[in-house]
Amino acid sequence: MFQPADLFEPPAPPAVADRAAVTAVVAAHGASRFIGWDLTGADLSDLELAGCAFVRCRAGRVDFGSADLTEAQFLGCDLNNTRWRGARLAAARLADCKLTGAQFQEVSALGLRFERCLLVNAYLRGVSFRKAELDALDLQGADLAGCDFREAVLLACNLRDANLVDARFEAADLRGADLGDLRLSDAGRFRGAFISKAQAAQLLIGLGLKVV
C-alpha cells in the first residue's frame, strides 16, 4: 500500500488516541503519519491536519468538521459514520476505506479522490467528480444529488438506489458501472453519458419492448 514519504511517524499508537494526542504530535512535528491508531469517536474538528496520513486507523464516528485536511491521506481506514461538515479536503486521497454513512456536507473538495471505498448510504451532495476516474466505489444508496460526474469514468462502481436528482453525467463513461434496475424514468438522468449495450437494452425493456 502506498504511504506518503517524509512524514514524522510516532513509534507506536498511544494508549489513549484522542484529540489531545493527535494535536500534540502535529504541534511538535507538523504533518505526520498515524499508523494503526484507534480514534473511534474522537473529536478532530477544526484541527490543522493538512498533509497528514492516516494508515489502517480505526476512526468510526470521528468528527472532522471544519478540519484542514488539504492533501491528507486516509489509507485502509475504518471511517464509518464519520462527519466532515465544512472540512477542507482539496487534493485529499481516501483509498481502501470503509465510509458507510459518512457525511460530507459543504466540504471543499477540489481534487478529492476516492479509490476502492465503501460509501454505502454516504452523503455526498454537490461533490464534483468531473473528469475523475472512479475505481470500485460502492455508492449504493448514497445521496449524490447535484453531484457533477461530467467526463468521469466509473469503473466497477455501484450506483444502485443512489439519489441522483440533478446529478450531471454528460460525457461520463458509465459502461463499467452498476446502475441498478434501469427504468424509462431514469433515462433523463444519464443524458449525454456513454452506456453499454446491456444497459441500453434494459432501458428498452422498461419501454415494454422485447430485446432479442
Side-chain angles (χ1 to χ4, degrees), residues 33-72:
R33 181 188 296 116
F34 301 91
I35 297 180
W37 284 40
D38 186 348
L39 293 159
T40 302
D43 178 6
L44 302 185
S45 61
D46 299 300
L47 294 185
E48 298 292 327
L49 300 172
C52 287
F54 297 83
V55 182
R56 299 186 300 279
C57 291
R58 296 176 61 187
R61 305 190 311 279
V62 168
D63 184 359
F64 290 105
S66 299
D68 184 357
L69 292 159
T70 304
E71 297 185 345

Side-chain angles (χ1 to χ4, degrees), residues 201 203-212:
L203 283 173
L204 291 175
I205 292 171
L207 279 170
L209 299 176
K210 295 181 179 180
V211 180
V212 297

Side-chain angles (χ1 to χ4, degrees), residues 88-171:
R88 284 167 280 175
L89 288 163
R93 176 174 178 247
L94 295 93
D96 304 294
C97 290
K98 298 176 182 178
L99 287 147
T100 293
Q103 302 289 305
F104 291 89
Q105 289 103 336
E106 302 171 14
V107 296
S108 300
L110 182 64
L112 171 63
R113 290 185 293 160
F114 292 101
E115 303 168 14
R116 301 174 302 280
C117 286
L118 189 67
L119 286 152
V120 174
N121 296 327
Y123 182 104
L124 291 157
R125 281 196 174 207
V127 172
S128 177
F129 298 101
R130 189 172 185 181
K131 297 184 178 181
E133 183 172 299
L134 306 180
D135 179 20
L137 302 186
D138 190 344
L139 293 156
Q140 183 170 350
D143 191 342
L144 304 175
C147 286
D148 188 352
F149 291 96
R150 288 177 292 171
E151 301 177 76
V153 178
L154 281 69
L155 303 171
C157 291
N158 182 3
L159 294 175
R160 282 181 173 269
D161 302 319
N163 178 12
L164 299 174
V165 173
D166 295 327
R168 301 188 63 179
F169 288 93
E170 294 95 319

Side-chain angles (χ1 to χ4, degrees), residues 126 182 197:
L182 293 174
K197 292 180 180 179

